[in-house]
C-alpha cells in the first residue's frame, strides 16, 4: 500500500532521494498521479507551511522542500495530463510582482501544457508592464496571474488595471488564482475567471478560450 505519510515526511525532511524513490514506486504500483500529488506532495507542503508559520521551519529549509517538490513534480508531469482533447490556446502565466512563490503556478502551467495549450511561463515577481508586454509579444488569448501572499493580492488588481489601460483588455481573458485568492476577489478586480487548483485552472482556461 502506498505510504503517503512517508512521502510527506521525506518532503518535510527535504530528502529528495527518498521522496523520488517513493514517488517512483507509487507510479510503478499504478497509484494515480493526482493522488500522489494531493495526498503525498501537497499534503506534505501544507505541513511545511504550518511549520513555517509556527517557527519550526525556516526559509532556507522551506526553499529546499520547495526544490524537492519541484523535482518530484517533474516525475509526475507526464502523468498529470488531461487526456481529453488537446486545445491550442495560447497562454501566458506568471506570479505577480513582489511574490516569489512558483510551485502552484508551475503546476497550473504543467496541467495546461499537458492539456495541449501553448504556455509561456514568465516566472515570478512579474511587474504589470511585463504582463502587458508579453500579451503583445505572444498574442496570448489567456493571461494567468498567480499570487500566494495576501500582501501581493493588490498587485493582481494593478496588473489587471495595467492590462485595461494598455488597450489590450479585449484581446485576452484573465484567470487568477493562488491560495489567498477567491472568486469574490476575482470579480472585484475584474478578472474573467478564478480557479482554486491546477486542474480546475486548466479546465477554466479551455472554457475561456472556447
Ligand atoms: Co511562503 N508563504 N513566504 N515561501 N510559503 C506561504 C504562502 C504561507 C501561507 C506560509 C504560512 O505562513 N503558513 C505564507 C503566506 C501568508 C499570507 O500571506 N496569507 C507565506 C509567507 C508569509 C512567506 C514569506 C513572507 C515568509 C517570510 O519571508 N517571512 C516569504 C515571501 C517571499 C515572497 O514571495 N516575496 C515566503 C517565502 C517562501 C519561500 C521562498 C521560502 C517558498 C517558495 C518557494 C517557491 O515557490 N519556489 C515558500 C513556500 C514553499 C511556502 C508554502 C510552505 C508552500 C507554497 C506551495 O508551494 N504550496 C506556503 C504554505 C502553504 O501553501 N501551505 C507559504 C504548494 C502548491 C502546490 O500550492 O501554491 O497554493 P499553491 O498552488 C495551488 C493553488 O493555490 C492553485 O493551484 C495550485 C495547485 O493546485 N494556484 C492557482 C496557484 N496559482 C494559481 C493560479 C491560477 C489558478 C490556481 O490561475 C492563474
Amino acid at each position: 500500500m502506498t505510504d503517503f505519510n512517508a512521502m510527506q515526511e521525506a518532503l518535510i525532511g527535504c530528502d529528495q532521494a527518498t521522496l523520488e524513490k517513493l514517488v517512483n514506486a507509487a507510479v510503478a504500483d499504478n497509484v494515480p498521479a493526482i493522488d500522489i500529488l494531493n495526498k503525498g506532495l501537497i499534503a506534505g507542503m501544507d505541513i511545511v507551511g504550518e511549520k513555517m508559520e509556527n517557527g519550526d521551519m525556516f526559509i532556507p529549509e522551506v526553499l529546499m522542500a520547495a526544490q524537492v517538490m519541484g523535482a518530484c513534480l517533474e516525475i509526475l508531469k507526464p502523468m498529470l495530463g488531461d487526456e481529453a482533447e488537446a486545445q491550442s490556446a495560447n497562454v501566458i502565466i506568471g506570479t505577480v510582482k513582489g511574490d516569489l512563490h512558483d510551485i502552484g503556478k508551475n503546476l497550473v502551467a504543467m496541467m495546461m501544457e499537458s492539456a495541449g495549450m501553448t504556455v509561456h511561463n514568465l516566472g515570478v515577481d512579474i511587474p504589470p508592464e511585463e504582463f502587458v508586454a508579453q500579451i503583445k509579444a505572444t498574442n496570448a488569448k489567456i493571461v494567468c496571474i498567480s499570487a500566494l501572499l495576501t500582501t501581493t493580492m493588490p498587485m493582481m488588481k494593478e496588473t489587471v488595471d495595467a492590462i485595461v489601460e494598455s488597450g489590450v483588455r479585449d484581446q485576452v481573458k484573465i484567470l487568477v488564482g493562488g491560495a489567498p485568492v477567491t472568486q469574490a476577489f476575482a470579480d472585484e478586480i475584474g478578472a474573467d475567471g478564478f480557479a482554486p487548483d491546477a486542474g480546475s485552472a486548466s479546465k477554466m482556461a479551455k472554457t475561456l478560450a472556447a
Side-chain angles (χ1 to χ4, degrees), residues 142-143 145 160 163 169 172-176 190-194 208:
I142 299 177
V143 182
I145 312 171
V160 173
I163 293 170
R169 180 66 180 95
V172 289
K173 299 287 186 189
I174 301 175
L175 174 60
V176 295
D192 298 299
F194 157 76
L208 290 174

Side-chain angles (χ1 to χ4, degrees), residues 92 122-137 143 159 162-163:
I92 64 174
L122 307 184
V124 297
D125 195 20
I126 305 300
E129 57 275 18
E130 181 62 13
F131 275 100
V132 170
Q134 290 296 328
I135 292 168
K136 291 178 179 167
V143 182
T159 305
I163 293 170

Side-chain angles (χ1 to χ4, degrees), residues 37-202:
L37 176 68
N38 288 330
K39 298 178 188 169
L41 304 186
I42 292 183
M45 204 40 120
D46 283 343
I47 299 171
V48 169
E50 283 161 26
K51 286 185 176 290
M52 182 178 172
E53 208 167 358
N54 298 335
D56 295 330
M57 266 178 100
F58 298 100
I59 302 290
E61 297 163 286
V62 178
L63 207 46
M64 270 172 68
Q67 280 165 359
V68 170
M69 175 150 175
C72 291
L73 283 178
E74 286 299 317
I75 301 174
L76 297 179
K77 188 174 178 176
M79 284 147 268
L80 282 172
D82 179 354
E83 276 101 40
E85 84 210 76
Q87 301 256 330
S88 59
N90 198 6
V91 178
I92 64 174
I93 185 165
T95 304
V96 289
K97 183 177 173 186
D99 198 323
L100 302 176
H101 296 85
D102 69 356
I103 298 176
K105 182 260 302 169
N106 288 344
L107 203 46
V108 172
M110 213 179 260
M111 295 294 272
M112 290 180 176
E113 277 171 2
S114 307
M117 296 175 222
T118 303
V119 180
H120 307 273
N121 192 339
L122 307 184
V124 297
D125 195 20
I126 305 300
E129 57 275 18
E130 181 62 13
F131 275 100
V132 170
Q134 290 296 328
I135 292 168
K136 291 178 179 167
T138 62
N139 210 16
K141 295 285 170 281
I142 299 177
V143 182
C144 296
I145 312 171
S146 180
L148 259 288
L149 300 169
T150 44
T151 49
T152 55
M153 286 169 69
M155 189 52 69
M156 268 185 166
K157 175 165 168 36
E158 287 192 35
T159 305
V160 173
D161 289 349
I163 293 170
V164 172
E165 282 155 24
S166 68
V168 293
R169 180 66 180 95
D170 291 347
Q171 295 170 32
V172 289
K173 299 287 186 189
I174 301 175
L175 174 60
V176 295
V181 180
T182 60
Q183 181 66 59
F185 181 74
D187 294 341
E188 190 185 310
I189 65 173
D192 298 299
F194 157 76
D197 56 53
S200 47
S202 178

